[in-house]
Amino acid sequence: WAGDCIQLAKEAKIEQVKSVDLEQFMNDRLGISGKFAMGDILADLDALNIYKSLSLNRDSDFYMVFCKYYDSLGEFTRYQSFLTNRFPAAKTEEQLKIEIHNVVAAELSIALSMVCQKEDLMEKEDLAYRNMAGYCFAEYLWKHR
């Protein structure tokens, strides 16, 4: 999901979206089209949720965990499970925005730093794109939880 936020930021940079239009640009694409469409979002949520279920049930068969996950979860609980599993301390939308910002814009991991470098999003002025992608993703998750 963090790499997809970077891809969304890159789309905005390529199209040279002005800062006043940035939020609308990203909201128009997030979960709908482009590099961070609904299929990508659900794949990211499912991957983390299944991983968490497997890590809690180490003796479980992957196939059984996988089937149980998809049999028992609807779209609504996918989002809520993701938030609980990945951002358990985020009890408000603002807390979620801060946590996502810390991943996407502030405290870049080595892997995410490499993605930003590859996508040419390491400059100081690129931070606005990364920030907005993170904020829009947080709003999207919060709205769908």
Side-chain angles (χ1 to χ4, degrees):
W1 64 268
D4 289 329
C5 284
I6 300 304
Q7 289 292 322
L8 184 60
K10 169 102 185 222
E11 284 183 59
K13 181 177 179 176
I14 288 171
E15 297 207 21
Q16 298 178 344
V17 178
K18 294 181 171 95
S19 60
V20 295
D21 301 322
L22 200 52
E23 184 173 11
Q24 187 65 49
F25 175 89
M26 291 186 180
N27 283 332
D28 287 347
R29 283 157 183 75
L30 190 59
I32 298 167
S33 67
K35 303 285 186 188
F36 209 4
M38 176 66 73
D40 291 326
I41 291 172
L42 292 178
D44 291 340
L45 303 182
D46 292 343
L48 184 98
N49 291 336
I50 291 169
Y51 167 78
K52 185 68 170 185
S53 183
L54 282 168
S55 67
L56 293 174
N57 304 299
R58 292 184 186 266
D59 296 332
S60 296
D61 176 75
F62 174 77
Y63 177 76
M64 296 305 293
V65 169
F66 188 82
C67 289
K68 183 179 178 184
Y69 175 79
Y70 283 107
D71 285 344
S72 65
L73 285 182
E75 200 170 294
F76 172 77
T77 51
R78 282 171 152 165
Y79 289 91
Q80 189 58 50
S81 293
F82 177 81
L83 291 173
T84 300
N85 289 327
R86 179 58 180 90
F87 303 104
K91 304 299 183 204
T92 67
E93 184 178 2
E94 289 308 310
Q95 290 172 336
L96 180 63
K97 286 179 180 180
I98 290 167
E99 288 201 36
I100 289 177
H101 170 268
N102 288 341
V103 173
V104 174
E107 301 168 7
L108 292 175
S109 68
I110 292 172
L112 197 56
S113 214
M114 290 172 67
V115 171
C116 287
Q117 187 173 7
K118 178 183 173 278
E119 299 299 341
D120 191 29
L121 284 167
M122 292 297 289
E123 301 300 322
K124 187 176 181 178
E125 58 271 8
D126 297 332
L127 188 58
Y129 295 116
R130 294 190 341 240
N131 277 336
M132 187 57 72
Y135 288 139
C136 289
F137 182 57
E139 289 174 350
Y140 181 89
L141 287 174
W142 196 259
K143 180 172 66 175
H144 287 87
R145 74 188 196 307

